[in-house]
Amino acid sequence: MGARILVVDDDPTVAEVVVRYLERDGHRVECVSDGAEALRRALSDPPDLMVLDLMLPKMDGLAVCRKLQERRPIPVIMLTALGEEIDRVTGLEIGADDYVTKPFSPRELALRVRSVLRRGRGAAAAAGTGVLRDGDLVVDVDAHEVRLGAAEVTLTAREFDLLAHLMRNPRQAFSRAALLDQVWGWSFGDSSTVTVHVRRLREKIEPDPAAPRRIVTVWGVGYRFEPTPEP
């Protein structure tokens, strides 16, 4: 069953091609051309996913993504220009799930959309349900909720999937490529995506993100989840 997708791009040629390919994949697609309208639409009637250009009139894509993740997190795929590495990293840091660099293949974008939707809808079912615990960190997979002590922790869909995957496999070291494959569903991609998401997770669940105790770096390999020792 297709998803509801909001495409945000002020270039009518790009928007038309993106809409055509996504509709061909069975999705219901709306299109807007400025950031302010995109934010209003997404907050009033949230789509299943947003394809978001960075350079927009009235409100740029990074501001839209930031406000959206603060108020009503939904999956976001950014469209970025070649050479905008700082913007790509910033977008991932504020909650975007993926990015595609212009000029891009519409087929590649359609595949990335499928991947993000599949992870957002099916990660819990595919990996099992229940509650994951580590000390005062509690991940309720069924409710898609994370708590640290008494406080609720707000995670993007991809951050949640990554944390749940690591917690289900304690003390197992994963390379960035393995995490891209197992969490993102990509057989190729930029491993810096994993690095950014790990950094964001550490900022949200570690007492000292600069000296993490749960999501630790395995030098020369990648990352592993280190369970909190029993008292």
Side-chain angles (χ1 to χ4, degrees):
M1 186 175 178
R4 286 183 57 246
I5 298 177
L6 182 62
V7 173
V8 190
D9 199 307
D10 63 337
D11 184 329
T13 302
V14 172
E16 181 183 352
V17 171
V18 170
V19 169
R20 186 167 67 246
Y21 267 80
L22 293 178
E23 287 181 339
R24 187 181 300 173
D25 254 11
H27 303 301
R28 291 160 291 147
V29 186
E30 296 179 66
C31 189
V32 298
S33 58
D34 72 75
E37 176 64 12
L39 183 63
R40 187 192 70 77
R41 291 265 193 104
L43 291 176
S44 63
D45 187 16
D48 297 309
L49 181 143
M50 179 184 286
V51 176
L52 178 66
D53 189 28
L54 288 187
M55 301 300 292
L56 294 168
K58 298 187 179 178
M59 183 184 296
D60 67 66
L62 290 176
V64 172
C65 187
R66 182 180 293 107
K67 291 177 181 293
L68 196 58
Q69 298 305 326
E70 288 173 352
R71 298 169 64 181
R72 191 179 288 243
I74 62 171
V76 172
I77 296 179
M78 300 183 303
L79 303 180
T80 72
L82 190 64
E84 291 180 339
E85 182 179 357
I86 292 176
D87 287 341
R88 289 199 298 273
V89 171
T90 301
L92 293 170
E93 287 179 335
I94 62 178
D97 293 86
D98 199 357
Y99 66 86
V100 177
T101 302
K102 294 181 178 180
F104 58 86
S105 158
R107 185 170 180 273
E108 179 191 356
L109 175 60
L111 290 172
R112 294 293 179 100
V113 166
R114 285 185 211 169
S115 174
V116 170
L117 288 171
R118 183 172 64 246
R119 294 303 308 172
R121 291 171 168 176
T129 58
V131 177
L132 304 170
R133 299 178 186 274
D134 179 68
D136 61 350
L137 177 65
V138 180
V139 177
D140 187 328
V141 177
D142 294 329
H144 211 273
E145 180 182 83
V146 177
R147 303 196 74 85
L148 190 61
E152 184 172 353
V153 180
T154 301
L155 301 182
T156 67
R158 192 73 77 182
E159 290 167 356
F160 185 94
D161 292 345
L162 177 58
L163 177 59
H165 183 73
L166 291 171
M167 289 183 70
R168 285 192 178 96
N169 298 277
R171 292 198 51 76
Q172 180 175 340
F174 293 96
S175 68
R176 291 170 180 82
L179 291 171
L180 276 177
D181 177 50
Q182 296 168 26
V183 178
W184 275 256
W186 301 355
S187 57
F188 62 92
D190 185 352
S191 64
S192 66
T193 299
V194 177
T195 306
V196 169
H197 280 75
V198 166
R199 182 166 71 242
R200 282 180 55 81
L201 271 178
R202 285 171 169 168
E203 290 170 353
K204 295 178 179 183
I205 69 169
E206 299 279 6
D208 181 2
R213 297 185 311 203
R214 286 185 165 116
I215 302 178
V216 301
T217 299
V218 183
W219 296 107
V221 179
Y223 305 101
R224 73 167 182 261
F225 189 87
E226 193 68 35
T228 302
E230 293 290 338

